Amino acid sequence: MDLAYLRAHPAHLPTFLTHQRIRETPVAGGHICAAARLTLDDGHSVFTKSWPERADRPVPEGFFAAEAAGLRWLREADAIAVPEVIVALPDLLALDWVEPGEPTPEAAERFGRELADLHRAGAPAFGAAWPGFIGALEQDNTPDDGPWSTWFAQRRLAPYLRRSVDAGALSRDDAALVEQVIGRVGELGGNEPPARIHGDLWPGNVLWGADDRAWLVDPAAHGGHRETDLAQLALFGGIPHLARALAAYRESWPLPDGWRDRVPLHQLHLLLVHTALFGAGYRDAVVQNARAALGRPERATVDR
């Protein structure tokens, strides 16, 4: 099987894998999926993601279709490096292989400029035209004209707060604190028209390539607030050369005053997803960011 055959017959890929007709090398693929590098007969490589076979944990309907739709939509903007979708099946996704490299200040600056171009491409509404996922959780992408603050409170904060409380990751007092934030998103968040955003842009979803570019992978793409992507880049230690990337972004497309103060609010969505998915280990981060969003002493940080 070569790349031309794979493009023409994507549904044949599982059969070739089952019969070990393609060289397959396991690679890191995150917490949810199994990942591999496939080397085709023409020497071309592709990256595959598959759902681990477990009877108690079947692949959610539309899971890979959502990621494929998001990747294609981001790629359509022709603004930033996004791998091409080669195969999108209900339980398997194959993308063009990106050779890993090292992050450099120059790549970070280019990334900042290209991310601004992606956001500037815009979206017809908040949400997206396909059902969404973030991690293994469903995410309501029903298109909505906004305003952003109402949409973000109802579609990105409240659902994952409920899941986190139901899972025992957050207490009632924790929930009451986050509910204060939800009730004040309109005054805290800074409304903007929908931007074309990655939606899950924590540092692990920025792949630094050997071509000295930063590639976007594993999106939860939708129309949202551009500051959400920027805030997520600072989570869990931040991307390398974050300050250079942010400076280049702001030079390309300046941010409204007060954007640094809004970082904790925009990070809160992804942190609530983490408590919903992974439990109380992320509880302190949720509480810290909720307090920071409300203007209390403890606050999240972003490179300045």
Side-chain angles (χ1 to χ4, degrees):
M1 176 182 278
D2 58 20
L3 184 60
Y5 183 92
L6 183 58
R7 290 184 192 280
H9 307 281
H12 292 185
L13 181 57
T15 301
F16 276 76
L17 289 173
T18 299
H19 294 285
Q20 300 181 336
R21 297 287 300 277
I22 303 175
R23 194 172 96 194
E24 183 176 6
T25 306
V27 296
H31 298 289
I32 297 170
C33 293
R37 178 179 183 170
L38 306 184
T39 304
L40 306 182
D41 290 341
D42 59 1
H44 199 99
S45 290
V46 297
F47 172 84
T48 62
K49 294 174 66 172
S50 58
W51 191 265
E53 295 183 9
R54 282 176 44 183
D56 64 331
R57 191 170 171 260
V59 58
E61 184 177 356
F63 178 80
F64 287 113
E67 182 171 345
L71 286 165
R72 288 168 174 147
W73 186 62
L74 296 177
R75 190 176 166 89
E76 282 170 8
D78 196 24
I80 197 166
V82 181
E84 179 188 358
V85 177
I86 297 172
V87 176
L89 301 174
D91 56 357
L92 177 69
L93 190 67
L95 313 175
D96 200 18
W97 176 260
V98 177
E99 191 64 32
E102 295 297 325
T104 65
E106 295 75 20
E109 290 179 1
R110 180 175 182 177
F111 173 59
R113 292 190 297 271
E114 292 180 341
L115 187 61
D117 291 341
L118 174 70
H119 290 166
R120 197 180 283 114
F126 297 107
W130 55 89
F133 282 86
I134 186 155
L137 299 179
E138 292 183 4
Q139 182 160 262
D140 187 355
N141 271 352
T142 304
D144 192 316
D145 291 334
W148 171 82
S149 55
T150 301
W151 170 84
F152 188 71
Q154 294 178 350
R155 306 288 179 84
R156 293 298 183 261
L157 297 183
Y160 304 103
L161 174 60
R162 289 194 296 270
R163 283 179 174 267
S164 298
V165 172
D166 290 346
L170 297 177
S171 69
R172 291 184 179 180
D173 287 345
D174 300 335
L177 180 66
V178 176
E179 285 166 356
Q180 290 182 53
V181 177
I182 291 173
R184 295 179 56 190
V185 173
E187 65 182 277
L188 300 173
N191 282 306
E192 279 202 353
R196 187 171 304 214
I197 73 171
H198 178 283
D200 189 10
L201 200 54
W202 71 285
N205 286 341
V206 179
L207 176 59
W208 301 90
D211 56 356
D212 210 28
R213 297 186 76 184
W215 291 70
L216 299 186
V217 297
D218 294 344
H222 61 273
H225 198 306
R226 61 192 178 117
E227 290 179 19
T228 301
D229 268 357
L230 298 176
Q232 290 175 351
L233 286 173
L235 283 168
F236 314 131
I239 62 166
H241 314 296
L242 175 59
R244 299 281 286 267
L246 292 175
Y249 183 103
R250 294 166 61 205
E251 182 178 344
S252 179
W253 190 7
L255 292 165
D257 291 344
W259 68 271
R260 290 186 180 91
D261 296 328
R262 294 187 289 271
V263 166
L265 171 66
H266 286 275
Q267 291 178 340
L268 192 54
H269 166 229
L270 198 52
L271 292 173
L272 286 169
V273 168
H274 275 67
T275 49
L277 268 175
F278 305 119
Y282 291 93
R283 178 258 173 194
D284 288 349
V286 167
V287 170
Q288 177 186 350
N289 276 58
R291 287 175 175 162
L294 293 168
R296 298 180 185 177
E298 300 153 308
R299 59 179 300 164
T301 59
V302 64
D303 268 40
R304 299 178 184 229

